[in-house]
Amino acid sequence: MYASTKLRKIHEICIKNGHTIDKRRIEKACLISNFDIHIAAQKLLKEESFKIKLFELSKTRGYYPSKNIISWCCEKKNFNQEKTLKYFIKISKSRIELINKCQLVDITDDILDNAIIAHCGYVPGAHKQLMQDFSCSPH
């Protein structure tokens, strides 16, 4: 069976289970599993399940449940559940701190997420960037 056929089959399994997964992640899972369709699909489904658990956890802990931040944290820590959870909590606290520091009406959730991701959760850097970006723009 051709590699492209295996990638398509993995994609179909993920879609059937309700998950749309980036082509790059499917390719990586396929390589890691030595092109075993079922192992790769199970790996991806497990990762997606973990992302859903993080999303629910963020709501119960009072964090803003940003899917962008969750995906970024998971990929940054290679879906290692313990490391990802610690990193996600750190980033979520940084996001809350940044919201409290900025208090700007014009800043959307996407802009906050992008600033946090760009500065890897480092609040002073993200805050400085936001202040520079919004000092020049009309309010």
Side-chain angles (χ1 to χ4, degrees), residues 60-100:
T60 60
R61 291 215 176 167
Y63 302 137
Y64 174 78
S66 165
K67 290 182 180 180
N68 290 336
I69 294 287
I70 290 170
S71 292
W72 178 71
C73 288
C74 288
E75 289 183 29
K76 185 155 180 70
K77 297 300 178 182
N78 295 313
F79 287 89
N80 176 305
Q81 292 188 7
E82 186 178 322
K83 289 180 181 179
T84 301
L85 179 60
K86 286 179 185 177
Y87 194 65
F88 173 70
I89 290 170
K90 175 189 169 212
I91 295 296
S92 295
K93 288 178 180 178
S94 295
R95 190 179 192 287
I96 291 169
E97 185 180 337
L98 188 58
I99 289 169
N100 292 335

Side-chain angles (χ1 to χ4, degrees), residues 26-111:
I26 292 173
E27 290 170 352
K28 185 177 178 182
C30 196
L31 287 172
I32 289 171
S33 68
N34 201 23
F35 292 90
D36 184 304
I37 294 168
H38 299 292
I39 292 173
Q42 289 305 314
K43 176 185 181 340
L44 291 168
L45 294 174
K46 183 180 175 186
E47 290 173 355
E48 290 303 306
S49 174
F50 178 63
K51 285 169 55 176
I52 291 168
K53 287 177 187 172
L54 271 181
F55 187 78
E56 293 303 317
L57 174 71
S58 68
K59 287 197 281 187
T60 60
R61 291 215 176 167
Y63 302 137
Y64 174 78
S66 165
K67 290 182 180 180
N68 290 336
I69 294 287
I70 290 170
S71 292
W72 178 71
C73 288
C74 288
E75 289 183 29
K76 185 155 180 70
K77 297 300 178 182
N78 295 313
F79 287 89
N80 176 305
Q81 292 188 7
E82 186 178 322
K83 289 180 181 179
T84 301
L85 179 60
K86 286 179 185 177
Y87 194 65
F88 173 70
I89 290 170
K90 175 189 169 212
I91 295 296
S92 295
K93 288 178 180 178
S94 295
R95 190 179 192 287
I96 291 169
E97 185 180 337
L98 188 58
I99 289 169
N100 292 335
K101 274 188 161 193
C102 289
Q103 296 297 316
L104 296 174
V105 182
D106 296 358
I107 297 179
T108 65
D109 290 328
D110 287 338
I111 291 171

Side-chain angles (χ1 to χ4, degrees), residues 106-124:
D106 296 358
I107 297 179
T108 65
D109 290 328
D110 287 338
I111 291 171
L112 279 170
D113 289 349
N114 291 337
I116 288 170
I117 289 170
H119 294 277
C120 297
Y122 183 64
V123 173

